[in-house]
Amino acid sequence: MTDVQLTTPLGSERRRRDWRSPLAVLALVICTLVVYGRVCGHEFAGWDDQLTIHHNPRYSPPTGAKIAQTWKESVNGLYAPVTYSYWGALAFMAELKDVDPLGVHLDARVFHTGSLILHLASVLVVFSILKLLSENVWASLGGAMLYSLHPVQVESVAWASGAKDLLCGLLSLCAIYQYLLFARAEVAGRRRWSHYVCGGLALLLAMLSKPSAMVVPVLVATLDLLVVRRGWRKVATASGGWALLVLPLAVVARLVQTVYAVAPVAWWRRPAVAADSVIFYVGKLVWPVALSADYARRPAVALQVWGGLWPVLAVLIAAGLGVWIWRRRAARPWVAAGAVIFVAALGPVLGLTPFMFQYTSTVADHYLYLAMFGPAMLATWALVRFRGRAVAGGCAVAFALLGVRSYGQLSHWHDDSAVWVHSMEVCPGSFVAPTNLAACLGREANVFRHGAEDAREAGRMEEAEWMLGRARENYARAADLLDKGLAINPDFMAARHNAFMYNFRLGRNQQAVEHLEALLAVNEQLPAVVRTDFTSYRETAGILWMKLGQYEKAAAQFERVVAAVPENTAARDGLREARSKSAEARLESGEIGKP
């Protein structure tokens, strides 16, 4: 049996087979909507959604001027103006007349519906690319079905903030499709530069959606060399032009990304982190269970697996597979191209260079969105090479199982709490999961607390007491969860801040001030340019230490406040009182006056 070959069928044969393509497209649309359709009724998942969408001041309310500002500056360490403009456009349609108790004024259903449409469009572009390359409709359908239904795609589709991956993936795939039309036209003796230009425009928009699209020139060069099989000089010229196009934006992306919180990894150990990530992803492709919003696979964790032996094995396994695939690239070009595309698409987030998400984990399902085009190619190749009813039946069963698995995985993305309850179950090493689940409980507690205040003002004392009891119960549960997260990562500032707040509201002044002191200490360790001004919190720490009778500690905090804000009379008074009470305490204990 020969490998998949690029062919140009006769016009009569193409017309005779035209009915198959619409049927395949219909199957893709139906299956994608059946599996993912219920996401349109989900709530926001919280995992960045508060920061990027529903509490983003640019969309409260959305205005053209606010959205235009995203083209002039980076947001949260990411320059992605196309994505923020997309969210802004949806925000205009998603505005609610009434704000819910948690302060959300945007309808999550609009954003989830938009994500589903983006995913469906990507699936259809993948099908078009595979059909263009293989000239086999049914094999291309299988490849596109894998791309659509694999459970690792659920995170990108079900997470509203994952739209940046969907947009980047869709536009990158459009760029690849246009490039292949250009390359194939030249093989046939025609020059169609319009495809090259349109592809370049799509690539530019992909880069402005998420900078990871910088890998597209590598992807098209791989396809051009191994599958289309043009000469390397032509490939270098065409793909090199696109590389020059994305280079300035890639530099900007690197400059604006903040990685100060990521523990540094020696350059010679980074290939081990990358190899571990690739093998981890392959494992999830083959056996997609225990999927989680956070895998807690930080570089330090990966490098200590099996006492440090696993990183060495991971490098050897990855290198061995790479050599084996490369040596068979001539006989199995589709296999080689699929493998290279899978790894290259993950290149920016494998850990060879630090990126900010590594503070939580090097690996995440949403990083696989574009990379899944590689496995889709492998599936298409396998379906062309191994034909028969048994193979078709096996594929149908496999896709059905993947669809059922993805459908079930969607339930873990229904709302904020569902995401983190599931993540804690499957990834006990995550410090993010308990912290974010605690934040959910804290927000509910705040609603009860404000409700109790309103009930008390209205004279409904019994109702107020009940609401206060519920609030205290939630704060206590949240504080316990934060202790779990801080046991894993004591320097996680979000957890420290919330632990201080919840213990303070519970009246646990000792625990509250200890968390506050730890928060202030971590903040001091940060670079000056990203350090938060916690002067008011220092004043709060001084007040709490006063209540606990720790006057010297209180005086130390008030001194810092007065040094930073000399006109703060309350801090001056607090400092004076702390020093006075400290002197009295020392006098009573006999420390003052001793020879």
Side-chain angles (χ1 to χ4, degrees), residues 111-287:
F111 290 87
H112 288 309
T113 301
S115 293
L116 178 56
I117 292 171
L118 290 176
H119 179 56
L120 181 57
S122 296
V123 170
L124 297 180
V125 176
V126 167
F127 171 73
S128 299
I129 295 172
L130 296 175
K131 190 180 70 164
L132 178 70
L133 292 175
S134 70
E135 295 291 355
N136 188 308
V137 172
W138 301 129
S140 301
L141 172 62
M145 200 69 79
L146 176 67
Y147 186 89
S148 173
L149 303 183
H150 199 286
V152 298
Q153 302 288 53
V154 169
E155 180 172 310
S156 297
V157 180
W159 178 34
S161 293
K164 60 183 180 294
D165 299 281
L166 297 174
L167 268 173
C168 176
L170 172 60
L171 291 166
S172 296
L173 290 166
C174 288
I176 292 170
Y177 181 62
Q178 289 296 317
Y179 181 97
L180 291 173
L181 288 175
F182 160 76
R184 279 176 55 97
E186 190 172 52
V187 169
R190 303 184 301 272
R191 286 192 175 271
R192 302 181 66 176
W193 288 98
S194 59
H195 291 303
Y196 187 80
V197 173
C198 289
L201 178 60
L203 174 57
L204 185 62
L205 293 174
M207 280 292 295
L208 294 173
S209 299
K210 189 178 180 182
S212 57
M214 67 180 72
V215 301
V216 170
V218 177
L219 307 189
V220 295
T222 300
L223 290 169
D224 206 350
L225 277 172
L226 296 178
V227 181
V228 180
R229 299 190 178 187
R230 290 200 304 160
W232 68 267
R233 287 187 176 84
K234 292 182 178 180
V235 173
T237 300
S239 61
W242 278 14
L244 292 175
L245 179 67
V246 303
L247 181 61
L249 289 175
V251 172
V252 170
R254 192 62 200 169
L255 292 175
V256 302
Q257 184 170 153
T258 53
V259 294
Y260 61 86
V262 179
V265 179
W267 65 267
W268 58 271
R269 305 194 76 182
R270 293 179 187 178
V273 175
D276 171 77
S277 299
V278 171
I279 294 173
F280 179 89
Y281 285 130
V282 171
K284 291 300 180 184
L285 287 178
V286 175
W287 192 246

Side-chain angles (χ1 to χ4, degrees), residues 59-62 90-98 105-107 110-111:
Y59 312 137
S60 302
L90 293 184
F92 278 107
M93 297 183 285
E95 278 196 284
L96 298 171
K97 293 181 179 179
D98 299 316
H105 66 98
L106 296 174
D107 190 342
V110 174
F111 290 87

